[in-house]
Amino acid sequence: GMLTAHMTQIAPHNGFTWHPHRGLEIFTYVIDGTLYHEDSTGGRGSISAGEVQRMFSGNYIEHQELNRSDDFARVIQIWFVAEPQYRGLEPHYEQVRLDAMIPRRVGDGVVRDIIGPQGATDAHVDARLTSTLLPAGGTAEMELPEDGENLFLYFVDGSGIFTTSAQEKPVNIYDVVMAKPEAETAVIQAGDKPLNYLSFYLKPFMD
């Protein structure tokens, strides 16, 4: 399952130099700026806002992630424990450009499937993950989880309003929404700037 979804800002000409991982599948989603990746399998490349990299550590891998630019970079790193049936796979790296992630529309939102049956990555985890970008003032319905899933929705950029039949609440960066399949859907509206959120559909974690 998922261990963490950690957002961090990396200063110009800074980053995380060579370090090891084992037993994990790690996804990195870039919110702002550009991130350079290099690992001990020979995988390397730079990803920009909205793009994704996936690294399967296998039994052992070393890598580094650097902001080589003059601007700040902001990323969210998502760690999953490797599923037992895949733990014997060799370490490997995958980078997905924005133009390779086929968009679909939900209301005014542009949704890209990152992990899952329609996902752009060759993931080895039992989960689904989408990114949604709402233009300023735009609205979209929250996509509820399917049976056997819970939703963990994470606002990663911008601000807006989250509305159900019972309440209307402001949402900002770092806010989260959790939902079960039987939950009432909600409408998310962006404020005066674009609103970006990630929707994690995970094995049930709520009673």
Side-chain angles (χ1 to χ4, degrees), residues 151-172:
L151 169 63
F152 175 84
L153 188 152
Y154 193 10
F155 292 96
V156 298
D157 198 32
S159 61
I161 301 292
F162 182 86
T163 304
T164 67
S165 62
Q167 60 183 349
E168 182 177 290
K169 289 193 171 183
V171 289
N172 292 283

Side-chain angles (χ1 to χ4, degrees), residues 146-200:
E146 297 175 355
D147 288 343
E149 296 176 333
N150 284 174
L151 169 63
F152 175 84
L153 188 152
Y154 193 10
F155 292 96
V156 298
D157 198 32
S159 61
I161 301 292
F162 182 86
T163 304
T164 67
S165 62
Q167 60 183 349
E168 182 177 290
K169 289 193 171 183
V171 289
N172 292 283
I173 185 173
Y174 301 119
D175 283 343
V176 251
V177 173
M178 294 184 286
K180 297 179 180 180
E182 63 270 23
E184 176 192 356
T185 192
V187 173
I188 299 168
Q189 181 173 10
D192 57 4
K193 295 180 181 179
L195 178 62
N196 188 195
Y197 54 90
L198 299 181
S199 300
F200 298 82

Side-chain angles (χ1 to χ4, degrees), residues 130-145:
T130 65
S131 70
T132 302
L133 185 62
L134 270 175
T139 63
E141 278 198 1
M142 181 176 72
E143 294 188 284
L144 290 172

Side-chain angles (χ1 to χ4, degrees), residues 19-89:
H19 59 281
H21 290 287
R22 57 169 53 89
L24 298 174
E25 187 153 42
I26 299 173
F27 299 80
T28 304
Y29 176 84
V30 178
I31 303 163
D32 298 311
T34 300
L35 185 71
Y36 172 77
H37 165 96
E38 184 177 3
D39 65 49
S40 53
T41 72
R44 66 180 64 194
S46 297
I47 55 172
S48 299
E51 297 181 335
V52 176
Q53 68 179 22
R54 178 185 66 86
M55 187 183 74
F56 187 86
S57 68
N59 290 327
Y60 189 84
I61 196 171
E62 292 185 12
H63 76 139
Q64 60 176 351
E65 296 158 302
L66 306 172
N67 177 8
R68 293 175 156 184
S69 77
D70 296 328
D71 301 310
F72 279 90
R74 196 155 52 93
V75 306
I76 180 165
Q77 196 163 83
I78 304 149
W79 291 18
F80 284 89
V81 175
E83 298 287 342
Q85 66 268 36
Y86 298 120
R87 288 179 188 167
L89 292 179

